């Protein structure tokens, strides 16, 4: 499909969304609905000694107040709440009097109205026995894990570093950050048609069928996860939330539907978040700027009780042709809720550290930062030795430098000045993200009338996955988008894998294409001749059949049929970036121009140019949107976002959008997006790789490097504040 064919194709669900017909989880019209509100713990660690419920029960409209005594039967299976199905210790609040982190639910008030539920929750009084705690990984009671979470090595990096002509040894600090999607986290539970339906804006509807049913002691077939639309997830909605089983349990006990929408302030203390991390980077190069050694050590905070891997070191060694590499990732445990995946979870912080370190190395060697990266381009992975399935990072750099007019950059900091006196800085950074895939079960039905229905695995989170599915059906079958119904995010229609890790397009596009090709094949056999150029449904009508249906199991490269059974049981099973014969990644280069006011130190990002290598571009409109969104996240990380934890009381101080600062329109200048658009058919039949996560990787480093070029101040923590530049 050419760029001209995809450039102006609108999202297939655009009109449905702007007209308000797209119904999200919390908007489901359910008769007799009760409303719930949580009571958050006001301590960090300890035990509940007593809960006084009389005042809450006297609030008009309150139906019941649930406590840990009501939910002690909940089973916390080893992988019940682990992200991506990873085993965790499975702490589930309100199953005992133990409190493990500030803000976790200690009571659940259910009422006839939302107002009564809120008033009742405020009336609940809890007495605690409080224990000592650590809220940050720098605190005295924080506990470092004795062994690294991950280690990667190739060659003798220590020896190569010791003898290098140019060496840098720097440490970068990345703060705690919070997702804050527009759609708040919510759970609605209702018994319908003999099954318990859970409506939740989620990236993992099947997690309910497996994890939630197991926690409640139910048969998975009696529980259905429904998420037709998700108003932003970014990794925060890829598992069972703290409130999910509580709402489902309340509905089961009351035999009435129950809905809970979590207030944003609560989510800062119950939902996952990007954890605080430290990154020590050592790079060694020869006189010509060739990388001889990379040594990378990271430390990341985690909760006391659950599993979230530290994986910062996975991507950096794959970025360039390192002569030798040594890396380790270590966890420090503190008393907080479990962190989790947030857009480019480890790749973004690691790119901030390593790409800024590359900028420092370029200065030490006396090379242009773009030329240094081009001089160290690689076509194979230094760790495994396997070739990359495709890698056009050098093309991204050259194309971006041309579009950006990189030649304007002055090597000396603060040498480029705007007409109004602002200091102008230009920065560059690169990024990569694994190209992963997962299994799918797809049922495609074409009607002689031209109507087409497809049910497949995947979740629509605003990223345009419906448009990706539609693009393949339009190309292979010529279906009319107006007559196309796409059913995703619902375990009642098809088994659902988690949609995360930038594998949505890489999984759904091949699945849709495979089903469409199978349908063409079966129709051709039915007719007895190859299909003509006529519309497919017209050829079907001649067979006097009302419809033709096919079901296709899509097994990703490197897996076998077992993944389909795992998918049906709600167990995630992804593959990549390592495949039998190659490694697969998406790549990107970002160029940023900043203007810094000399009197105030205020930084403005005036322009960003981003060029991505994501394989085949399925829909240019949604692809450009993904990159622009990722760049804005990068600008926010560089200059705005930080979760400020109070070490005295363990809570996040800026737990709302009034004080947790994110970029607004006035903060964002021009963002120009370009694509290499070279299909990667080694990976899948659609030739696609992921884009949503790689879009952010390196964007922050480009801004930080530009700030250095403008001011001469090398800031090694985020966000950059005005006081850092005055």
């Amino acid at each position: 499909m050419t760029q001209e064919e995809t450039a102006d194709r609108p999202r297939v669900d655009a009109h449905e969304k702007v007209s308000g017909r797209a119904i999200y989880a919390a908007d489901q019209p359910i008769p007799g609905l009760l409303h719930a509100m949580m009571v958050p713990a006001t301590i960090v660690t300890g035990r509940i000694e007593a809960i006084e419920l009389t005042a809450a029960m006297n609030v008009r409209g309150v139906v019941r107040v649930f406590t840990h005594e009501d939910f002690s039967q909940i089973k916390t299976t080893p992988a019940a709440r682990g992200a991506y199905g990873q085993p965790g210790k499975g702490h589930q609040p309100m199953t005992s009097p133990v409190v493990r982190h500030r803000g976790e639910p200690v009571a659940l008030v259910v009422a006839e109205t939302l107002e009564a539920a809120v008033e009742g929750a405020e009336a609940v009084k809890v007495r605690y026995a409080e224990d000592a705690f650590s809220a940050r990984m720098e605190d005295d009671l924080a506990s470092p894990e004795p062994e690294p979470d991950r280690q990667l090595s190739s060659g003798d990096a220590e020896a190569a570093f010791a003898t290098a002509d140019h060496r840098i040894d720097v440490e970068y600090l990345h703060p705690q950050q919070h997702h804050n999607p527009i759609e708040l986290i919510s759970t609605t539970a209702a018994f319908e048609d003999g099954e318990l339906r859970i409506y939740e804006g989620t990236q993992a509807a099947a997690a309910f069928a497996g994890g939630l049913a197991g926690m409640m002691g139910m048969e998975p077939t009696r529980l259905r996860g429904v998420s037709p639309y998700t108003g932003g997830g970014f990794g925060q909605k890829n598992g069972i939330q703290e409130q999910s089983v509580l709402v489902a349990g309340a509905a089961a006990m009351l035999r009435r539907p129950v809905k809970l929408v979590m207030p944003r302030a609560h989510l800062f203390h119950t939902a996952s978040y990007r954890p605080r991390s430290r990154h020590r980077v050592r790079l060694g190069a020869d006189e010509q700027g060739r990388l001889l050694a990379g040594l990378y050590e990271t430390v990341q905070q985690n909760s006391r009780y659950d599993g979230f891997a530290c994986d910062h070191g996975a991507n950096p060694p794959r970025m360039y042709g390192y002569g030798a590499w040594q890396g380790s990732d270590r966890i420090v445990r503190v008393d907080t809720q479990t962190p989790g995946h947030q857009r480019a979870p480890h790749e973004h912080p690691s790119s901030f550290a390593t790409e800024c370190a590359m900028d420092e190395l370029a200065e030490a060697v006396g090379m242009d930062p773009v030329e240094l990266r081009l001089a160290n381009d690689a076509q194979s992975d230094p760790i495994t030795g396997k070739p990359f399935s495709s890698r056009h990072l050098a093309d991204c750099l050259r194309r971006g430098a041309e579009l950006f007019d990189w030649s304007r950059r002055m090597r000396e900091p603060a040498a480029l000045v705007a007409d109004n006196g602002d200091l102008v800085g230009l920065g560059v950074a690169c990024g990569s993200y694994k190209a992963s895939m997962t299994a799918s079960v797809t049922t495609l039905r074409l009607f002689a009338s031209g109507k087409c229905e497809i049910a497949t695995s995947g979740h629509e989170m605003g990223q345009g996955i419906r448009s990706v599915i539609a693009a393949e059906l339009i190309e292979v079958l010529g279906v009319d988008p107006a007559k196309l119904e796409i059913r995703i995010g619902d375990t009642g229609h098809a088994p659902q894998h988690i949609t995360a890790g930038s594998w949505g397009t890489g999984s759904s596009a091949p699945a849709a294409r495979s089903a469409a090709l199978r349908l063409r094949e079966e129709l051709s056999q039915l007719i007895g001749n190859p299909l003509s150029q006529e519309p497919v449904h017209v050829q079907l009508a001649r067979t006097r059949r009302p419809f033709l249906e096919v079901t296709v199991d899509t097994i990703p490269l490197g897996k076998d049929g077992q993944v389909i059974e795992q998918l049906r049981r709600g167990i995630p099973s992804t593959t990549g970036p390592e495949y039998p014969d190659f490694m697969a990644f998406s790549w990107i280069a970002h160029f940023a121009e900043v203007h810094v006011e000399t009197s105030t130190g205020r930084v403005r990002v005036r322009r960003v140019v981003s060029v991505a290598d994501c394989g085949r571009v399925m829909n240019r409109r949604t692809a450009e949107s993904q990159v622009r969104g990722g760049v804005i996240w990068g600008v926010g990380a560089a200059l705005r976002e930080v979760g400020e934890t109070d070490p005295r009381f363990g809570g996040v101080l800026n737990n709302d959008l009034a004080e947790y600062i994110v970029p607004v329109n006035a903060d964002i200048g021009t963002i120009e997006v370009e694509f290499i658009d070279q299909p990667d058919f080694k990976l899948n039949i659609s030739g696609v790789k992921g884009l949503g996560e790689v879009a952010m990787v390196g964007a922050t480093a480009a801004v930080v490097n530009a700030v250095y070029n403008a001011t001469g101040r090398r800031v090694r923590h985020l966000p950059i504040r005005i006081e850092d530049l005055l």
Side-chain angles (χ1 to χ4, degrees):
M1 187 175 294
T2 66
Q3 289 186 359
E4 288 75 21
E5 289 175 307
T6 62
D8 294 317
R9 177 169 288 159
R11 295 171 180 261
V12 296
D13 52 5
H15 191 265
E16 190 173 33
K17 287 184 175 181
V18 299
S19 64
R21 295 205 308 269
I23 304 299
Y24 291 78
D27 301 324
Q28 297 292 327
I30 299 174
L33 187 65
L34 295 173
H35 297 265
M37 185 54 58
M38 290 194 334
V39 178
T42 56
I43 65 169
V44 180
T45 60
R47 292 180 63 85
I48 297 170
E49 292 190 329
I51 303 180
E52 176 50 55
L53 304 179
T54 303
M57 289 302 300
N58 286 336
V59 173
R60 184 177 180 181
V62 169
V63 174
R64 183 166 173 179
V65 181
F66 293 91
T67 70
H68 62 270
E69 294 179 353
D70 298 295
F71 296 118
S72 60
Q73 78 283 0
I74 291 175
K75 302 173 183 177
T76 52
T77 57
R81 296 191 58 239
Y84 291 101
Q86 296 172 355
K89 295 182 180 177
H91 172 63
Q92 170 60 49
M94 286 185 65
T95 56
S96 78
V98 175
V99 175
R100 304 296 296 270
H101 66 82
R102 186 178 184 89
E104 73 172 71
V106 293
L108 183 73
V109 178
V110 179
E112 297 287 351
T113 65
L114 175 60
E115 293 77 9
V118 172
E119 185 179 349
E122 292 173 346
V124 173
K125 303 301 178 185
V126 185
R127 188 173 77 248
Y128 303 95
E130 189 171 1
D131 295 333
F133 65 88
S134 62
R136 304 176 305 172
M137 64 183 188
E138 293 84 1
D139 294 345
D140 292 340
L141 295 179
S143 304
E145 290 286 307
E147 297 295 329
D149 205 35
R150 173 194 279 267
Q151 291 180 293
L152 288 175
S153 64
S154 175
D156 191 342
E158 287 281 5
F161 179 77
T163 59
D165 297 306
H166 299 282
R167 290 174 288 177
I168 63 164
D169 185 345
V170 291
E171 184 171 275
Y172 283 83
L173 176 65
H174 196 286
Q176 179 173 316
Q177 294 175 335
H178 296 262
H179 301 67
N180 285 303
I182 294 175
E183 180 200 30
L184 295 168
I185 285 174
S186 71
T187 303
T188 301
F191 282 94
E192 300 175 1
D193 300 326
E195 63 186 6
L196 179 60
R197 294 188 184 180
I198 308 294
Y199 298 92
E200 194 169 299
T202 182
Q203 300 170 235
F208 300 121
L212 196 56
M215 294 171 77
M216 298 178 67
M218 294 177 58
E219 286 295 323
T221 54
R222 292 192 57 224
L223 197 150
R224 178 174 172 180
V226 184
S227 182
Y229 291 95
T230 301
F234 315 112
Q236 190 178 65
K237 299 176 182 176
N238 66 10
I240 298 176
Q241 305 289 336
E242 288 194 355
Q243 83 288 341
S244 300
V245 70
L246 305 179
V247 175
M253 283 183 264
L254 294 172
R255 306 302 297 179
R256 288 184 63 181
V258 178
K259 177 172 77 173
L260 170 63
V261 179
M262 296 282 287
R264 195 170 295 277
H266 287 193
L267 294 177
F268 277 80
H269 301 103
T270 59
S272 62
Y273 60 95
R274 194 193 302 279
R276 188 174 175 86
S277 57
R278 287 198 307 272
H279 307 253
R280 184 189 179 192
V281 187
R282 288 180 283 168
L283 300 178
D286 63 16
E287 288 288 1
Q288 288 73 44
R290 288 191 295 267
L291 287 164
L292 302 177
L295 296 102
Y296 185 38
E297 303 164 54
T298 74
V299 179
Q300 169 193 293
Q301 79 176 35
N302 205 338
S303 70
R304 299 279 185 188
Y305 55 82
D306 224 336
F308 177 64
C310 184
D311 204 18
H312 293 99
N315 262 35
R318 278 75 191 231
M319 285 300 302
Y320 305 108
Y322 289 96
W325 179 268
Q326 181 176 308
S328 67
D329 299 309
R330 192 178 297 271
I331 282 173
V332 176
R333 296 200 176 272
V334 298
D335 297 297
T336 180
Q337 79 268 29
T338 302
H341 298 84
Q342 182 172 339
R343 198 172 195 176
H346 298 99
E347 294 79 5
H348 155 67
S350 67
S351 71
F352 156 61
T354 57
E355 287 293 307
C356 287
M358 282 289 286
D359 216 56
E360 298 201 44
L361 180 64
E363 184 178 33
V365 176
M367 288 183 70
D368 176 86
V370 171
E371 293 303 319
L372 177 69
R373 288 167 170 83
L374 289 172
N376 289 283
D377 191 31
Q379 292 302 314
S380 62
D381 171 28
I383 302 298
T384 65
K386 293 183 178 182
F388 296 119
S389 61
S390 63
R391 175 179 162 119
H392 302 286
L393 180 58
D395 295 331
C396 293
L397 280 164
R398 294 189 182 100
R399 180 61 176 150
E402 177 187 1
L403 291 171
F404 189 70
D405 192 11
W406 178 254
S407 60
R408 296 176 296 140
R409 182 183 182 271
M410 306 293 286
R411 179 179 172 185
E412 290 297 320
L416 196 59
V417 182
D419 292 340
N420 66 353
D422 287 354
L423 299 175
V424 178
L426 308 182
V428 64
C430 297
S432 67
Y433 194 89
K434 62 185 178 182
S436 294
M437 296 180 291
T438 190
S440 297
V441 175
T442 305
T443 299
L444 176 64
R445 178 180 290 184
L446 178 69
F447 292 82
S449 64
K451 180 182 176 183
C452 186
E453 298 174 349
I454 184 170
T456 189
S457 310
H459 299 76
E460 176 59 64
M461 305 175 291
Q463 81 278 42
I465 203 166
R466 278 187 168 87
S467 298
V468 164
I469 294 168
E472 291 290 50
L473 298 183
I474 291 168
E475 179 173 322
V476 178
L477 297 176
V479 301
D480 181 354
K483 295 182 178 181
L484 175 61
E485 182 177 345
I486 300 172
R487 297 168 176 170
I488 55 177
D490 187 335
T491 60
H493 293 312
Q496 297 297 311
H497 59 70
I498 293 174
T499 303
S502 218
W503 61 65
T505 297
S507 302
S508 62
R513 192 173 189 87
S514 295
L517 291 171
R518 175 72 62 80
L519 191 142
R520 285 186 65 94
E521 179 183 337
E522 294 201 6
L523 180 57
S524 177
Q525 293 176 357
L526 188 64
I527 294 172
N529 292 299
L531 299 187
S532 69
Q533 296 300 312
E534 280 188 297
V536 177
H537 72 277
V538 173
Q539 298 178 70
L540 173 62
R542 290 202 187 96
T543 68
R544 299 185 180 277
R545 287 197 176 197
F547 66 87
L548 181 61
E549 179 180 295
V550 297
T551 298
V552 176
D553 294 345
T554 306
I555 299 172
L557 195 64
K559 295 288 187 178
D560 57 29
Q562 183 181 356
V563 297
I564 299 298
E565 178 59 27
Q566 291 176 318
L567 175 66
R568 294 186 184 280
R569 292 163 53 202
I571 300 173
S573 180
T574 59
T575 183
E578 183 173 358
Y579 296 91
D581 299 322
F582 53 76
M583 301 288 290
F585 293 87
S586 294
W587 312 92
I588 198 164
H590 299 283
F591 294 79
E593 176 181 329
V594 303
H595 289 210
V596 183
E597 294 180 359
T598 55
S599 58
T600 65
R602 185 175 69 169
V603 179
R604 293 288 195 190
V605 181
R606 293 296 187 187
R607 184 183 180 214
V608 175
V609 171
S610 301
V611 183
D613 167 22
C614 58
R616 173 185 169 208
V617 177
M618 295 295 304
N619 183 308
R620 192 172 180 87
R621 183 177 299 191
T622 56
E624 288 181 356
S625 177
Q626 282 289 295
V627 176
R628 289 194 176 97
V631 168
I632 292 169
W633 274 64
V635 172
L639 304 175
R640 297 287 185 269
E641 292 187 53
V642 56
E644 301 281 7
T645 300
D646 188 333
R648 303 167 301 168
F649 305 111
V652 179
L653 292 167
N654 54 334
N655 61 337
D656 56 46
L657 287 179
E659 294 185 330
Y660 184 87
I661 308 301
V662 297
V664 297
N665 285 346
D667 296 315
I668 304 301
T670 302
I671 302 175
E672 300 168 41
V673 181
E674 190 57 83
F675 300 101
I676 301 302
D677 203 5
Q678 290 292 320
D680 189 342
F681 292 119
K682 290 182 181 179
L683 198 60
N684 55 61
I685 64 170
S686 295
V688 299
K689 300 189 287 188
L691 179 61
E693 310 230 30
V694 77
M696 185 184 185
V697 185
T700 293
V703 173
V704 174
N705 289 338
V707 169
Y708 171 76
N709 184 242
T711 65
R713 301 284 183 92
R714 181 64 70 180
V715 182
R716 298 192 180 101
H717 62 258
L718 296 180
I720 297 175
R721 301 183 186 274
I722 286 175
E723 55 265 32
D724 295 321
L725 304 178
L726 291 178

